């Protein structure tokens, strides 16, 4: 399997622009997670989906952030308008709940999108 | 609330020496615990997990972790460190279908 695929790997844009990050989870996985990593705040969970439905978005910092999962093989994280403090590495991860329908299976991470807002 | 703590920001060891990266947890009920490693410009990679059973869990790349219920700890260990083990290590606890990560510990293995 190709693993979790994120695009783009790097994004540099100016403040105020719309940014869209993309994620393709591992085929067959039913959970998808979006994280943000910064030096100051470490690794933060932004939102996660189960079977394409958003379950918990309490980590989304502001209304400028939105995430969608239109189907089992694709998710987007959008920032509009972007601000310099949004600069971070954004990770997508997916996991399979398993035969016991429990979520404690390992999450598989993509290599992230390094976002720089000027 | 479920949480994990990694008390050391950085651990330095010499190649060939044993290494320990510490993690303590706070959970209600039985803990499900994980270790991940992050290399530069890469995502987190799963190393090992404890769900139940033997307190010594073996994982990838020769790593193992010891679950200690009385001390609420889940320390990561390796008998002989390699320079290539230098990376950022995260401990995590499972909680309601998501993982709660610690702040991470940077491991530096010097030749």
């Amino acid at each position: 399997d190709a693993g979790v695929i994120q695009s783009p790997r790097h994004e540099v844009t100016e403040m105020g622009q719309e940014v869209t990050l993309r994620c393709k989870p591992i085929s067959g996985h039913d959970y998808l997670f979006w994280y943000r990593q910064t030096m100051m705040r470490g690794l933060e969970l932004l939102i996660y989906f189960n079977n394409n439905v958003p379950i918990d978005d309490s980590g989304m910092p502001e209304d400028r952030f939105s995430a969608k999962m239109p189907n089992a093989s694709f998710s987007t994280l959008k920032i509009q308008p972007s601000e310099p403090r949004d600069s971070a590495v954004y990770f997508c991860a997916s996991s399979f709940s398993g035969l016991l329908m429990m979520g404690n299976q390992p999450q598989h991470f993509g290599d992230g999108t390094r976002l720089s807002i000027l | 609330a479920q949480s994990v703590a990694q008390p050391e920001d950085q651990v330095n060891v010499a190649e060939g020496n044993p290494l320990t990266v510490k993690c303590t947890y706070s959970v209600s009920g039985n803990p499900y615990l994980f270790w991940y490693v992050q290399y530069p410009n890469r995502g987190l990679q799963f190393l090992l997990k404890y769900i139940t059973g033997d307190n010594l869990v073996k994982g990838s790349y020769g790593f193992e972790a010891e679950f200690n219920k009385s001390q609420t700890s889940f320390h990561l260990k390796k008998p002989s460190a390699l320079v290539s083990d230098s990376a950022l290590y995260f401990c995590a606890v499972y909680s309601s279908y998501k993982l709660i990560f610690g702040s991470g510990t940077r491991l530096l293995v010097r030749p």
Side-chain angles (χ1 to χ4, degrees), chain A residues 31 37 48 56 104 107 111, chain B residues 32 36 38 42-43 97-98:
Chain A
Y31 281 87
Q37 186 178 35
Y48 76 95
D56 184 351
N104 62 3
Q107 292 180 17
D111 283 335
Chain B
Y32 297 154
Y36 284 79
Q38 184 181 25
R42 301 296 304 275
Y97 295 95
K98 57 188 179 183

Side-chain angles (χ1 to χ4, degrees), chain B residues 52-111:
Chain B
T52 186
D54 195 346
N55 289 343
L56 186 64
V57 180
K58 294 190 182 297
S60 306
Y61 310 122
F63 283 93
E64 56 190 27
E66 186 172 11
F67 173 71
N68 188 315
K69 188 172 183 177
S70 63
Q71 297 186 5
T72 63
S73 66
F74 188 56
H75 300 334
L76 182 70
K77 300 182 179 184
K78 188 173 183 181
S80 179
L82 299 173
V83 172
S84 57
D85 293 329
S86 298
L88 188 57
Y89 290 81
F90 290 93
C91 179
V93 62
Y94 167 78
S95 174
S96 302
Y97 295 95
K98 57 188 179 183
L99 292 178
I100 310 298
F101 285 92
S103 55
T105 298
R106 188 165 300 281
L107 174 66
L108 181 61
V109 181
R110 59 185 184 276

Side-chain angles (χ1 to χ4, degrees), chain A residues 69-103:
Chain A
M69 192 166 185
N71 57 62
S73 59
F74 184 66
S75 177
T76 60
L77 178 68
K78 188 172 292 186
I79 308 172
Q80 167 62 17
S82 58
E83 296 183 4
R85 59 196 169 114
D86 301 331
S87 298
V89 182
Y90 291 82
F91 289 103
C92 175
S94 70
S95 68
F96 174 58
S97 59
L99 295 175
L100 297 178
M101 300 307 292
M102 296 177 69

Side-chain angles (χ1 to χ4, degrees), chain A:
Chain A
D1 203 310
V4 176
I5 299 173
Q6 291 187 246
S7 64
R9 288 297 314 277
H10 302 274
E11 175 87 12
V12 180
T13 192
E14 293 188 346
M15 182 175 69
Q17 296 298 307
E18 178 179 289
V19 174
T20 300
L21 311 181
R22 297 172 175 79
C23 175
K24 176 179 169 55
I26 292 173
S27 177
H29 282 190
D30 53 352
Y31 281 87
L32 184 138
F33 305 82
W34 281 100
Y35 292 89
R36 178 172 68 175
Q37 186 178 35
T38 61
M39 289 292 292
M40 291 297 295
R41 300 174 68 92
L43 197 62
E44 303 173 274
L45 176 64
L46 301 177
I47 185 172
Y48 76 95
F49 296 80
N50 176 225
N51 291 323
N52 313 337
V53 176
I55 303 300
D56 184 351
D57 66 354
S58 60
M60 296 285 262
E62 300 173 35
D63 291 345
R64 299 184 294 106
F65 286 70
S66 62
K68 295 182 179 180
M69 192 166 185
N71 57 62
S73 59
F74 184 66
S75 177
T76 60
L77 178 68
K78 188 172 292 186
I79 308 172
Q80 167 62 17
S82 58
E83 296 183 4
R85 59 196 169 114
D86 301 331
S87 298
V89 182
Y90 291 82
F91 289 103
C92 175
S94 70
S95 68
F96 174 58
S97 59
L99 295 175
L100 297 178
M101 300 307 292
M102 296 177 69
N104 62 3
Q105 298 302 309
Q107 292 180 17
H108 298 259
F109 281 73
D111 283 335
T113 295
R114 184 173 297 275
L115 178 63
S116 297
I117 308 297
L118 305 178

Side-chain angles (χ1 to χ4, degrees), chain B residues 14-47:
Chain B
E15 187 174 32
N17 284 359
L19 69 87
T20 299
V21 182
K22 296 180 180 177
C23 173
T24 58
Y25 64 88
S26 174
V27 304
S28 54
N30 294 321
Y32 297 154
L33 298 161
F34 297 76
W35 275 103
Y36 284 79
V37 61
Q38 184 181 25
Y39 298 101
N41 299 315
R42 301 296 304 275
L44 278 68
Q45 296 179 32
F46 168 73
L47 277 179

